[in-house]
């Protein structure tokens, strides 16, 4: 595909993902509410014990598999392959691989970002579909990263636009859960101002699910997209 065709395809992900969202909202609503309720558990633990480490086991062994399962819900919706509510919990049988992939992606991205922001973004865009492959294809840790690198080759600039939109939503739109106090003595509280509640609802139930479906559309497309084979080397004359 040339650059213009790639741009048109990436634009179609945004449009079709909105159709996926609106057409599957009755399924997505209980999934998203359950995921949001489970996420609140980590803030409860931080608030109760005033400690971030107190919430880490819950985040690693509950929220990480749930996040992977949510990816599978999005993938199946975009693929029109019969997504179910129980898919939200489908990563628990492989939680060790899902956790390893999530931590590996996080550490590599953080390491690149500490050097310079750009390397961290490139690393993330290269391996972002590892978290999809591990739950969708049940690949191993290494195979998940290898498949993601293969899928994203030649598409990082288009994925960067989606990544930027997701980051803007996460940074600019507030949450009702607020953690203050720093690492030494954190505390958790609820911000229930009407603006915050309304913005958080839109963020949780509209913007992020739609953009996640865009990423799922991209993943499904790139899995099936034909790839140019390397040109055969010319026979050498001895």
């Amino acid at each position: 595909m040339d650059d213009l065709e790639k741009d048109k395809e990436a634009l179609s992900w945004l449009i079709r993902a909105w159709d996926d969202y609106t057409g599957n909202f009755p399924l997505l609503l209980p999934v998203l509410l359950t995921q949001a309720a489970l996420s609140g558990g980590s803030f409860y633990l931080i608030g109760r014990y005033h400690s971030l480490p107190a919430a880490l086991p819950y985040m690693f062994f509950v929220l990480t598999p749930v996040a992977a399962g949510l990816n599978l819900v999005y993938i199946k919706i975009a693929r029109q392959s019969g997504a179910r509510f129980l898919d939200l919990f489908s990563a628990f049988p492989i939680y060790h691989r899902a956790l390893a992939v999530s931590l590996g992606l996080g550490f590599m991205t953080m390491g690149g970002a500490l050097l310079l922001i750009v390397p961290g973004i490139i690393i993330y865009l290269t391996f972002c579909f590892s978290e999809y492959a591990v739950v969708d294809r049940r690949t191993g840790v290494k195979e998940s990263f290898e498949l993601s690198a293969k899928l994203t080759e030649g598409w990082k600039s288009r994925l960067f636009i989606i990544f930027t939109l997701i980051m803007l939503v996460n940074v600019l739109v507030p949450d009702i859960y607020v953690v203050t106090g720093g690492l030494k003595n954190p505390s958790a509280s609820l911000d229930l101002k009407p603006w915050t509640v309304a913005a958080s609802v839109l963020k949780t139930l509209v913007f992020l699910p739609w953009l996640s479906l865009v990423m799922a559309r991209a993943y499904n497309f790139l899995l099936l997209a034909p790839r140019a084979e390397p040109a055969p080397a010319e026979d050498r004359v001895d």
Side-chain angles (χ1 to χ4, degrees):
M1 298 177 72
D2 60 30
D3 286 341
L4 180 58
E5 290 175 324
K6 287 184 176 180
D7 291 340
K8 289 180 178 178
E9 180 59 39
L11 179 61
S12 76
W13 299 339
L14 292 163
I15 298 170
R16 293 171 183 169
W18 181 253
D19 293 337
D20 293 333
Y21 171 78
T22 56
N24 291 274
F25 186 73
L27 166 66
L28 279 171
L29 182 60
V31 169
L32 295 171
L33 291 176
T34 301
Q35 193 266 345
L38 290 172
S39 296
S42 60
F43 293 95
Y44 169 78
L45 292 170
I46 292 171
R48 180 178 177 83
Y49 297 104
H50 296 282
S51 169
L52 289 174
L56 288 180
Y58 180 82
M59 295 169 68
F60 286 158
F61 299 112
V62 176
L63 296 187
T64 296
V66 167
L70 184 58
N71 285 337
L72 185 62
V73 173
Y74 292 134
I75 290 167
K76 286 189 171 184
I77 288 176
R79 195 179 284 163
Q80 299 180 351
S81 60
R84 303 172 304 146
F85 175 81
L86 291 178
D87 289 328
L88 183 63
F89 307 101
S90 61
F92 278 95
I94 55 161
Y95 80 90
H96 54 294
R97 275 183 279 162
L99 178 62
V101 167
S102 180
L103 290 177
L105 179 61
F107 285 138
M108 287 191 293
T109 302
M110 187 182 301
L114 289 176
L115 297 175
L116 287 171
I117 297 297
V118 173
I121 293 174
I122 293 174
I123 289 171
Y124 179 80
L125 294 176
T126 299
F127 300 115
C128 60
F129 288 136
S130 59
E131 294 183 302
Y132 291 65
V134 71
V135 68
D136 176 44
R137 307 284 287 243
R138 291 311 204 243
T139 48
V141 176
K142 180 181 178 182
E143 292 79 6
S144 298
F145 286 108
E146 289 175 343
L147 178 58
S148 181
K150 181 180 178 181
L151 295 180
T152 57
E153 185 176 357
W155 288 88
K156 293 181 185 66
S157 60
R158 282 86 187 173
L159 294 172
F160 175 71
I161 296 173
I162 308 169
F163 166 79
T164 301
L165 290 173
I166 293 173
M167 288 297 296
L168 287 174
V169 171
N170 276 313
V171 171
L172 298 179
V173 183
D175 289 305
I176 61 172
Y177 298 116
V178 179
V179 176
T180 57
L183 295 176
K184 291 185 178 180
N185 187 32
S187 61
S189 60
L190 292 176
D191 183 351
L192 298 179
K193 293 190 290 290
W195 150 250
T196 302
V197 173
S200 181
V201 167
L202 288 174
K203 175 181 181 177
T204 303
L205 300 183
V206 181
F207 299 135
L208 289 182
W210 168 51
L211 292 172
S212 297
L213 283 165
V214 176
M215 288 296 289
R217 275 274 173 186
Y219 168 78
N220 285 332
F221 171 81
L222 295 174
L223 271 180
L224 301 176
R227 283 171 173 72
E229 296 294 333
E234 295 182 0
D235 294 333
R236 293 183 296 176
V237 179
D238 294 331

